[in-house]
Amino acid sequence: MNAPVRKAVLPVAGLGTRFLPATKAMAKEMLPIVDKPLIQYAIEEARAAGIEDFVLVTGRGKTIMEDHFDHAVELEQVLEARGKTRELDIVQDAMVPPGHLAYARQQNPLGLGHAIWCARQVVAGEPFAVLLPDDLVKAEPGCLAQMIEAYNDVGGNIVAVEDVPRDQTNKYGILDVEHDDGRLARAKGLVEKPDPADAPSTLSIIGRYILQPEVFEYLDKHEKGAGGEIQLTDAMAKTLGTVPFHGLRFKGRRFDCGSKAGFIEANVAFALERPDLADGLRETLKTYL
Ligand code: UTP
């Protein structure tokens, strides 16, 4: 039987330069989709998949997230005094049980691989999930739950994948596929941000991973890859041959909320599913089109 995935690492130490000036004094992961911050969507997806313990890899300017997942005593007292029980529930539902949310600090944003490496003591030799909160996946069941189901069959490392237009392969980690049943693609190689002409496929990795702890053997070396950053894809690629590696074509829709266009699209898509907003928004949107 495959060892259960109980822990999740959420790297949130990036600078979020594409969202300046919004991210000058505020974390990108606190940007809301309708009324909930990206980081909360990611934690909720992970909890729904059975994850019990969380590690947020933070950096400068990210302490706002510690407050978000803590009690807001004054606010809660006011909501209670005013009988706003629905709002009180919303505020309290954001919280993770005490002792199940840890923070690791990435002092320098040296890349995603380095951010994951910063969580190694908390992961402590177990398989673990990684969720990048700026990739928001609208799916039922959630993307990570679908991956854990696949993991229970095939084990090893699993990433969520989707096909991208060939001219966009230079934005993603891309799989070199040796076997593909249409749902699960077994990889024999991985390339970070290949030029479209060199890309071995168009199957791109999105921000959801299930990883075996062997990946830390390679992250320990701090080797730089594409863009001069310590890349997670490179460390995963080194485990090929010793750890099985699959890409799961998840069912659902992914929004790249690290980009302005994806962020706006996600807001529209999520708002159109809200009974309190959908009708009015549909009418408003028509006036712009
Ligand atoms: P991005 O590539 O989106 O970078 O990181 P970014 O800095 O957040 O945003 P831009 O490109 O400057 O606008 C993908 C994920 O990896 C995390 C980010 O927080 C995000 O969740 N990350 C990236 C780190 O935690 N540390 C790093 O050194 C780099």
Side-chain angles (χ1 to χ4, degrees):
M1 208 179 104
N2 300 311
V5 184
R6 301 183 307 119
K7 299 181 178 177
V9 178
L10 295 97
V12 294
L15 297 177
T17 55
R18 284 171 290 171
F19 272 93
L20 286 169
T23 48
K24 185 180 172 195
M26 190 195 66
K28 173 175 75 171
E29 299 77 12
M30 287 301 291
L31 289 171
I33 301 302
V34 186
D35 49 14
K36 196 191 289 183
L38 284 166
I39 185 69
Q40 193 176 335
Y41 283 97
I43 296 261
E44 287 177 1
E45 179 185 328
R47 290 183 81 179
I51 299 294
E52 297 164 13
D53 292 308
F54 299 86
V55 192
L56 258 58
V57 181
T58 66
R60 277 181 291 284
K62 304 284 182 165
T63 45
I64 187 174
M65 278 180 273
E66 296 194 24
D67 290 337
H68 183 74
F69 290 109
D70 195 2
H71 274 295
V73 178
E74 274 182 32
L75 174 64
E76 289 172 40
Q77 281 172 352
V78 171
L79 292 174
E80 195 159 11
R82 293 185 184 170
K84 290 191 172 286
T85 47
R86 196 181 140 265
E87 287 78 2
L88 188 60
D89 285 348
I90 289 172
V91 168
Q92 290 177 341
D93 280 354
M95 292 178 55
V96 173
H100 289 274
L101 179 54
Y103 297 90
R105 186 98 166 187
Q106 185 190 28
Q107 287 101 334
N108 288 308
L110 300 179
L112 176 59
H114 182 259
I116 303 304
W117 177 80
C118 290
R120 66 200 180 284
Q121 304 291 359
V122 191
V123 168
E126 287 191 28
F128 61 103
V130 174
L131 298 97
L132 308 191
D134 47 6
D135 261 342
L136 178 59
V137 186
K138 198 159 173 299
E140 193 53 52
C143 184
L144 188 64
Q146 296 177 40
M147 292 169 71
I148 286 182
E149 195 188 338
Y151 170 81
N152 290 337
D153 288 339
V154 294
N157 291 336
I158 300 197
V159 291
V161 292
E162 65 182 10
D163 271 305
V164 292
R166 183 160 279 275
D167 63 2
Q168 289 182 21
T169 57
N170 55 2
K171 293 203 278 184
Y172 298 95
I174 299 288
L175 266 57
D176 188 357
V177 177
E178 69 175 355
H179 180 266
D180 192 346
D181 69 7
R183 175 176 164 263
L184 271 178
R186 193 169 66 233
K188 61 175 162 38
L190 290 175
V191 199
E192 182 62 30
K193 301 188 172 70
D195 282 333
D198 306 326
S201 77
T202 55
L203 217 47
S204 76
I205 301 175
I206 68 143
R208 299 288 182 279
Y209 311 72
I210 292 174
L211 297 174
Q212 301 301 313
E214 281 82 352
V215 77
F216 289 115
E217 290 169 24
Y218 301 97
L219 290 175
D220 277 344
K221 299 183 199 297
H222 289 200
E223 286 172 9
K224 289 183 180 159
E229 296 197 340
I230 299 169
Q231 298 285 357
L232 181 60
T233 306
D234 296 342
M236 293 188 304
K238 299 260 174 51
T239 68
L240 286 163
T242 49
V243 180
F245 193 104
H246 291 87
L248 173 72
R249 286 189 184 82
F250 58 97
K251 289 199 176 82
R253 177 124 192 200
R254 168 229 174 210
F255 300 92
D256 174 11
C257 296
S259 79
K260 291 187 253 279
F263 172 75
I264 292 164
E265 187 187 344
N267 267 293
V268 172
F270 278 71
L272 285 174
E273 293 218 333
R274 287 270 298 258
D276 54 333
L277 296 171
D279 291 346
L281 178 61
R282 206 170 280 117
E283 290 311 309
T284 309
L285 286 174
K286 277 186 202 154
T287 67
Y288 285 91
L289 299 172

PDB file of all heavy atoms in Angstrom, residues 237-259:
ATOM      1  N   ALA A 237      12.656  15.655 -11.964  1.00  0.00           N
ATOM      2  CA  ALA A 237      13.218  14.936 -13.120  1.00  0.00           C
ATOM      3  C   ALA A 237      14.331  13.980 -12.674  1.00  0.00           C
ATOM      4  O   ALA A 237      14.467  12.881 -13.208  1.00  0.00           O
ATOM      5  CB  ALA A 237      13.753  15.926 -14.155  1.00  0.00           C
ATOM      6  N   LYS A 238      15.094  14.393 -11.668  1.00  0.00           N
ATOM      7  CA  LYS A 238      16.208  13.544 -11.195  1.00  0.00           C
ATOM      8  C   LYS A 238      15.706  12.266 -10.514  1.00  0.00           C
ATOM      9  O   LYS A 238      16.442  11.292 -10.422  1.00  0.00           O
ATOM     10  CB  LYS A 238      17.074  14.344 -10.213  1.00  0.00           C
ATOM     11  CG  LYS A 238      17.723  15.596 -10.829  1.00  0.00           C
ATOM     12  CD  LYS A 238      19.160  15.322 -11.194  1.00  0.00           C
ATOM     13  CE  LYS A 238      19.838  16.456 -11.951  1.00  0.00           C
ATOM     14  NZ  LYS A 238      19.727  17.766 -11.369  1.00  0.00           N
ATOM     15  N   THR A 239      14.477  12.291 -10.018  1.00  0.00           N
ATOM     16  CA  THR A 239      13.967  11.080  -9.351  1.00  0.00           C
ATOM     17  C   THR A 239      13.388  10.068 -10.344  1.00  0.00           C
ATOM     18  O   THR A 239      13.052   8.951  -9.958  1.00  0.00           O
ATOM     19  CB  THR A 239      12.861  11.414  -8.307  1.00  0.00           C
ATOM     20  OG1 THR A 239      11.701  11.884  -9.001  1.00  0.00           O
ATOM     21  CG2 THR A 239      13.309  12.459  -7.300  1.00  0.00           C
ATOM     22  N   LEU A 240      13.277  10.472 -11.617  1.00  0.00           N
ATOM     23  CA  LEU A 240      12.747   9.542 -12.630  1.00  0.00           C
ATOM     24  C   LEU A 240      13.658   8.325 -12.701  1.00  0.00           C
ATOM     25  O   LEU A 240      14.876   8.445 -12.643  1.00  0.00           O
ATOM     26  CB  LEU A 240      12.695  10.217 -14.004  1.00  0.00           C
ATOM     27  CG  LEU A 240      11.583  11.256 -14.195  1.00  0.00           C
ATOM     28  CD1 LEU A 240      11.873  12.128 -15.398  1.00  0.00           C
ATOM     29  CD2 LEU A 240      10.242  10.552 -14.351  1.00  0.00           C
ATOM     30  N   GLY A 241      13.042   7.167 -12.799  1.00  0.00           N
ATOM     31  CA  GLY A 241      13.861   5.942 -12.799  1.00  0.00           C
ATOM     32  C   GLY A 241      13.836   5.281 -11.437  1.00  0.00           C
ATOM     33  O   GLY A 241      13.848   4.059 -11.340  1.00  0.00           O
ATOM     34  N   THR A 242      13.796   6.078 -10.368  1.00  0.00           N
ATOM     35  CA  THR A 242      13.701   5.473  -9.030  1.00  0.00           C
ATOM     36  C   THR A 242      12.290   5.607  -8.458  1.00  0.00           C
ATOM     37  O   THR A 242      11.850   4.767  -7.688  1.00  0.00           O
ATOM     38  CB  THR A 242      14.701   6.118  -8.042  1.00  0.00           C
ATOM     39  OG1 THR A 242      14.587   7.528  -8.140  1.00  0.00           O
ATOM     40  CG2 THR A 242      16.117   5.697  -8.318  1.00  0.00           C
ATOM     41  N   VAL A 243      11.593   6.698  -8.844  1.00  0.00           N
ATOM     42  CA  VAL A 243      10.228   6.916  -8.358  1.00  0.00           C
ATOM     43  C   VAL A 243       9.312   7.007  -9.583  1.00  0.00           C
ATOM     44  O   VAL A 243       9.603   7.771 -10.505  1.00  0.00           O
ATOM     45  CB  VAL A 243      10.147   8.244  -7.553  1.00  0.00           C
ATOM     46  CG1 VAL A 243       8.730   8.480  -7.056  1.00  0.00           C
ATOM     47  CG2 VAL A 243      11.129   8.243  -6.389  1.00  0.00           C
ATOM     48  N   PRO A 244       8.205   6.237  -9.637  1.00  0.00           N
ATOM     49  CA  PRO A 244       7.281   6.382 -10.776  1.00  0.00           C
ATOM     50  C   PRO A 244       6.753   7.808 -10.866  1.00  0.00           C
ATOM     51  O   PRO A 244       6.571   8.457  -9.828  1.00  0.00           O
ATOM     52  CB  PRO A 244       6.134   5.416 -10.454  1.00  0.00           C
ATOM     53  CG  PRO A 244       6.539   4.644  -9.255  1.00  0.00           C
ATOM     54  CD  PRO A 244       7.713   5.305  -8.619  1.00  0.00           C
ATOM     55  N   PHE A 245       6.517   8.267 -12.081  1.00  0.00           N
ATOM     56  CA  PHE A 245       6.071   9.660 -12.259  1.00  0.00           C
ATOM     57  C   PHE A 245       4.902   9.692 -13.236  1.00  0.00           C
ATOM     58  O   PHE A 245       5.038   9.252 -14.374  1.00  0.00           O
ATOM     59  CB  PHE A 245       7.232  10.512 -12.794  1.00  0.00           C
ATOM     60  CG  PHE A 245       6.957  11.986 -12.716  1.00  0.00           C
ATOM     61  CD1 PHE A 245       7.547  12.756 -11.732  1.00  0.00           C
ATOM     62  CD2 PHE A 245       6.093  12.604 -13.614  1.00  0.00           C
ATOM     63  CE1 PHE A 245       7.284  14.117 -11.643  1.00  0.00           C
ATOM     64  CE2 PHE A 245       5.815  13.957 -13.530  1.00  0.00           C
ATOM     65  CZ  PHE A 245       6.422  14.724 -12.544  1.00  0.00           C
ATOM     66  N   HIS A 246       3.766  10.212 -12.778  1.00  0.00           N
ATOM     67  CA  HIS A 246       2.582  10.293 -13.641  1.00  0.00           C
ATOM     68  C   HIS A 246       2.025  11.709 -13.657  1.00  0.00           C
ATOM     69  O   HIS A 246       2.059  12.412 -12.641  1.00  0.00           O
ATOM     70  CB  HIS A 246       1.482   9.349 -13.151  1.00  0.00           C
ATOM     71  CG  HIS A 246       1.788   7.904 -13.319  1.00  0.00           C
ATOM     72  ND1 HIS A 246       2.481   7.176 -12.391  1.00  0.00           N
ATOM     73  CD2 HIS A 246       1.502   7.045 -14.345  1.00  0.00           C
ATOM     74  CE1 HIS A 246       2.611   5.925 -12.821  1.00  0.00           C
ATOM     75  NE2 HIS A 246       2.037   5.817 -14.008  1.00  0.00           N
ATOM     76  N   GLY A 247       1.469  12.067 -14.802  1.00  0.00           N
ATOM     77  CA  GLY A 247       0.679  13.290 -14.905  1.00  0.00           C
ATOM     78  C   GLY A 247      -0.786  12.903 -14.968  1.00  0.00           C
ATOM     79  O   GLY A 247      -1.159  12.009 -15.738  1.00  0.00           O
ATOM     80  N   LEU A 248      -1.604  13.549 -14.140  1.00  0.00           N
ATOM     81  CA  LEU A 248      -3.043  13.260 -14.152  1.00  0.00           C
ATOM     82  C   LEU A 248      -3.770  14.383 -14.871  1.00  0.00           C
ATOM     83  O   LEU A 248      -3.660  15.557 -14.477  1.00  0.00           O
ATOM     84  CB  LEU A 248      -3.586  13.140 -12.724  1.00  0.00           C
ATOM     85  CG  LEU A 248      -5.118  13.014 -12.647  1.00  0.00           C
ATOM     86  CD1 LEU A 248      -5.587  11.641 -13.127  1.00  0.00           C
ATOM     87  CD2 LEU A 248      -5.638  13.295 -11.247  1.00  0.00           C
ATOM     88  N   ARG A 249      -4.514  13.994 -15.938  1.00  0.00           N
ATOM     89  CA  ARG A 249      -5.419  14.976 -16.555  1.00  0.00           C
ATOM     90  C   ARG A 249      -6.636  15.073 -15.654  1.00  0.00           C
ATOM     91  O   ARG A 249      -7.511  14.216 -15.703  1.00  0.00           O
ATOM     92  CB  ARG A 249      -5.846  14.516 -17.953  1.00  0.00           C
ATOM     93  CG  ARG A 249      -4.764  14.654 -19.006  1.00  0.00           C
ATOM     94  CD  ARG A 249      -5.394  14.375 -20.368  1.00  0.00           C
ATOM     95  NE  ARG A 249      -4.412  14.399 -21.428  1.00  0.00           N
ATOM     96  CZ  ARG A 249      -3.617  13.386 -21.738  1.00  0.00           C
ATOM     97  NH1 ARG A 249      -3.682  12.259 -21.066  1.00  0.00           N
ATOM     98  NH2 ARG A 249      -2.749  13.498 -22.724  1.00  0.00           N
ATOM     99  N   PHE A 250      -6.652  16.103 -14.812  1.00  0.00           N
ATOM    100  CA  PHE A 250      -7.750  16.257 -13.845  1.00  0.00           C
ATOM    101  C   PHE A 250      -9.004  16.714 -14.586  1.00  0.00           C
ATOM    102  O   PHE A 250      -8.931  17.303 -15.672  1.00  0.00           O
ATOM    103  CB  PHE A 250      -7.365  17.279 -12.772  1.00  0.00           C
ATOM    104  CG  PHE A 250      -7.038  18.622 -13.346  1.00  0.00           C
ATOM    105  CD1 PHE A 250      -7.987  19.635 -13.375  1.00  0.00           C
ATOM    106  CD2 PHE A 250      -5.797  18.889 -13.895  1.00  0.00           C
ATOM    107  CE1 PHE A 250      -7.707  20.875 -13.923  1.00  0.00           C
ATOM    108  CE2 PHE A 250      -5.510  20.120 -14.457  1.00  0.00           C
ATOM    109  CZ  PHE A 250      -6.461  21.111 -14.469  1.00  0.00           C
ATOM    110  N   LYS A 251     -10.146  16.458 -13.954  1.00  0.00           N
ATOM    111  CA  LYS A 251     -11.410  16.968 -14.498  1.00  0.00           C
ATOM    112  C   LYS A 251     -11.705  18.280 -13.793  1.00  0.00           C
ATOM    113  O   LYS A 251     -11.795  18.309 -12.554  1.00  0.00           O
ATOM    114  CB  LYS A 251     -12.541  15.972 -14.228  1.00  0.00           C
ATOM    115  CG  LYS A 251     -12.449  14.713 -15.055  1.00  0.00           C
ATOM    116  CD  LYS A 251     -13.828  14.035 -15.077  1.00  0.00           C
ATOM    117  CE  LYS A 251     -13.826  12.811 -15.964  1.00  0.00           C
ATOM    118  NZ  LYS A 251     -13.285  11.627 -15.280  1.00  0.00           N
ATOM    119  N   GLY A 252     -11.866  19.347 -14.545  1.00  0.00           N
ATOM    120  CA  GLY A 252     -12.143  20.637 -13.936  1.00  0.00           C
ATOM    121  C   GLY A 252     -11.512  21.741 -14.749  1.00  0.00           C
ATOM    122  O   GLY A 252     -10.960  21.489 -15.822  1.00  0.00           O
ATOM    123  N   ARG A 253     -11.589  22.939 -14.215  1.00  0.00           N
ATOM    124  CA  ARG A 253     -11.078  24.093 -14.945  1.00  0.00           C
ATOM    125  C   ARG A 253     -10.071  24.818 -14.086  1.00  0.00           C
ATOM    126  O   ARG A 253     -10.314  25.105 -12.926  1.00  0.00           O
ATOM    127  CB  ARG A 253     -12.254  25.008 -15.265  1.00  0.00           C
ATOM    128  CG  ARG A 253     -11.861  26.257 -15.938  1.00  0.00           C
ATOM    129  CD  ARG A 253     -12.591  26.395 -17.232  1.00  0.00           C
ATOM    130  NE  ARG A 253     -11.990  27.468 -17.997  1.00  0.00           N
ATOM    131  CZ  ARG A 253     -12.601  28.081 -18.959  1.00  0.00           C
ATOM    132  NH1 ARG A 253     -13.825  27.721 -19.277  1.00  0.00           N
ATOM    133  NH2 ARG A 253     -12.004  29.044 -19.625  1.00  0.00           N
ATOM    134  N   ARG A 254      -8.923  25.098 -14.691  1.00  0.00           N
ATOM    135  CA  ARG A 254      -7.858  25.756 -13.944  1.00  0.00           C
ATOM    136  C   ARG A 254      -7.737  27.220 -14.377  1.00  0.00           C
ATOM    137  O   ARG A 254      -7.824  27.539 -15.561  1.00  0.00           O
ATOM    138  CB  ARG A 254      -6.558  25.016 -14.210  1.00  0.00           C
ATOM    139  CG  ARG A 254      -5.333  25.735 -13.748  1.00  0.00           C
ATOM    140  CD  ARG A 254      -4.326  25.738 -14.870  1.00  0.00           C
ATOM    141  NE  ARG A 254      -3.190  26.536 -14.521  1.00  0.00           N
ATOM    142  CZ  ARG A 254      -2.453  27.182 -15.403  1.00  0.00           C
ATOM    143  NH1 ARG A 254      -2.737  27.117 -16.680  1.00  0.00           N
ATOM    144  NH2 ARG A 254      -1.439  27.885 -15.021  1.00  0.00           N
ATOM    145  N   PHE A 255      -7.569  28.080 -13.401  1.00  0.00           N
ATOM    146  CA  PHE A 255      -7.395  29.508 -13.674  1.00  0.00           C
ATOM    147  C   PHE A 255      -6.007  29.917 -13.189  1.00  0.00           C
ATOM    148  O   PHE A 255      -5.663  29.692 -12.022  1.00  0.00           O
ATOM    149  CB  PHE A 255      -8.460  30.325 -12.941  1.00  0.00           C
ATOM    150  CG  PHE A 255      -9.860  29.969 -13.340  1.00  0.00           C
ATOM    151  CD1 PHE A 255     -10.572  29.006 -12.654  1.00  0.00           C
ATOM    152  CD2 PHE A 255     -10.456  30.578 -14.438  1.00  0.00           C
ATOM    153  CE1 PHE A 255     -11.854  28.661 -13.028  1.00  0.00           C
ATOM    154  CE2 PHE A 255     -11.743  30.242 -14.829  1.00  0.00           C
ATOM    155  CZ  PHE A 255     -12.445  29.283 -14.124  1.00  0.00           C
ATOM    156  N   ASP A 256      -5.241  30.515 -14.062  1.00  0.00           N
ATOM    157  CA  ASP A 256      -3.907  30.996 -13.687  1.00  0.00           C
ATOM    158  C   ASP A 256      -4.062  32.374 -13.049  1.00  0.00           C
ATOM    159  O   ASP A 256      -3.973  33.399 -13.729  1.00  0.00           O
ATOM    160  CB  ASP A 256      -3.008  31.052 -14.928  1.00  0.00           C
ATOM    161  CG  ASP A 256      -1.658  31.678 -14.606  1.00  0.00           C
ATOM    162  OD1 ASP A 256      -1.359  31.875 -13.413  1.00  0.00           O
ATOM    163  OD2 ASP A 256      -0.909  31.991 -15.558  1.00  0.00           O
ATOM    164  N   CYS A 257      -4.295  32.365 -11.743  1.00  0.00           N
ATOM    165  CA  CYS A 257      -4.549  33.631 -11.045  1.00  0.00           C
ATOM    166  C   CYS A 257      -3.264  34.390 -10.747  1.00  0.00           C
ATOM    167  O   CYS A 257      -3.305  35.456 -10.126  1.00  0.00           O
ATOM    168  CB  CYS A 257      -5.343  33.378  -9.771  1.00  0.00           C
ATOM    169  SG  CYS A 257      -6.974  32.703 -10.113  1.00  0.00           S
ATOM    170  N   GLY A 258      -2.128  33.860 -11.179  1.00  0.00           N
ATOM    171  CA  GLY A 258      -0.870  34.614 -11.107  1.00  0.00           C
ATOM    172  C   GLY A 258      -0.766  35.591 -12.265  1.00  0.00           C
ATOM    173  O   GLY A 258       0.121  36.442 -12.297  1.00  0.00           O
ATOM    174  N   SER A 259      -1.673  35.449 -13.239  1.00  0.00           N
ATOM    175  CA  SER A 259      -1.714  36.399 -14.361  1.00  0.00           C
ATOM    176  C   SER A 259      -2.986  37.234 -14.227  1.00  0.00           C
ATOM    177  O   SER A 259      -4.003  36.754 -13.722  1.00  0.00           O
ATOM    178  CB  SER A 259      -1.707  35.653 -15.695  1.00  0.00           C
ATOM    179  OG  SER A 259      -3.003  35.152 -15.978  1.00  0.00           O
TER     180      SER A 259
END
